[in-house]
Amino acid sequence: MGRLPFFAGNWKMNKTVGEALDLVKGLKAAISGVIGVEGEVEVAVAPPFTALYAVRKEIEGSSIFLAAQNLYWEEKGAFTGEISPLMLKEVGCHYVIIGHSERRQFFGETDETVNRRIKAALAQGLKVIFCIGETLKEREGGKTFSVIERQMEGGLKGLDDREMGNMVIAYEPVWAIGTGKTATPEQAEEVHRFIRGKIEKLYSRGVSEEIRIQYGGSVTPENIKGLMNQPNIDGALMGGASLKAESFSKIVRFKEL
Ligand code: 13P
């Protein structure tokens, strides 16, 4: 069985509750019929924490999944400003994005803290979208594969085959995020192939064939088809394009483009 294409919208620090509801209503209407149990693709939205509850109410009964953008690994306690896996599960999250490059760059996350977050999320029954990717400097210095390898070994440390069944990997080259500079389909495919090969080495052929690897970084309705034509690209993690129902839904409906 092939891998079900998976498109997730990372809204980052955008959308008030009212704006989030408008967007998700528009999205629901624009993609109805394309997703679902029998559908051809899977779709998730990752609003800011403040809009999770309202968006969950709005997508109830639809096939859109709810995702959070981060979490803290403790279940509860004196951790001012943090959100626990339990809280996300209760509010209706199915997925959580972990290790986004913006968290690594601006909020001091490391492979080790990413690993703790992944383990806590999985223990609570959340599925994880695990983000990895190299900076421009690392790419230009010929370090892309060693960086990806380090992020994978660190982030996935201690996870077993069964847990890998609840993981999605998002390859997001940092130089392509929000820059309008998408990786070419060939550039992305080269890294996706490497990632799948590394999963095979760390786990098994079966795990590597099942895991979905999304591409992220300036994905648009114009470039999605070329990316999706690559054998190891199984969907996209979108930022900017996910902030409007029109572009989000066009990407989800890439087969019709
Ligand atoms: P853009 O699609 O805005 O480049 O953002 C990608 C991203 O970071 C998704 O997580």
Side-chain angles (χ1 to χ4, degrees), residues 10 12 97 100-102 131 172 176-180 216-219 237-241:
N10 174 10
K12 309 191 179 183
I97 298 169
H100 193 280
S101 63
E102 286 149 19
C131 303
E172 299 205 313
I177 297 179
T179 57
S218 299
V219 170
L237 183 56
M238 305 164 266

Side-chain angles (χ1 to χ4, degrees), residues 182 217-225 227 238 241 247 251 257:
T182 330
S218 299
V219 170
T220 64
E222 286 70 44
N223 59 33
I224 189 63
K225 208 149 186 188
L227 290 161
M238 305 164 266
S247 39
I251 290 169
L257 288 170

Side-chain angles (χ1 to χ4, degrees), residues 33-52:
V34 188
I35 56 170
V37 185
E38 303 290 326
E40 300 173 38
V41 297
E42 185 176 341
V43 174
V45 291
F49 290 128
T50 45
L52 284 173

Side-chain angles (χ1 to χ4, degrees), residues 4-8 42 169 171 192 212-216 219 224 227-228 230 232-238 251 254:
L4 188 67
F6 180 28
F7 298 95
E42 185 176 341
I169 296 178
Y171 168 56
H192 281 232
R212 290 177 296 177
I213 309 173
Q214 296 175 314
Y215 168 79
V219 170
I224 189 63
L227 290 161
M228 292 303 290
Q230 300 296 323
N232 286 294
I233 300 183
D234 307 314
L237 183 56
M238 305 164 266
I251 290 169
F254 71 98

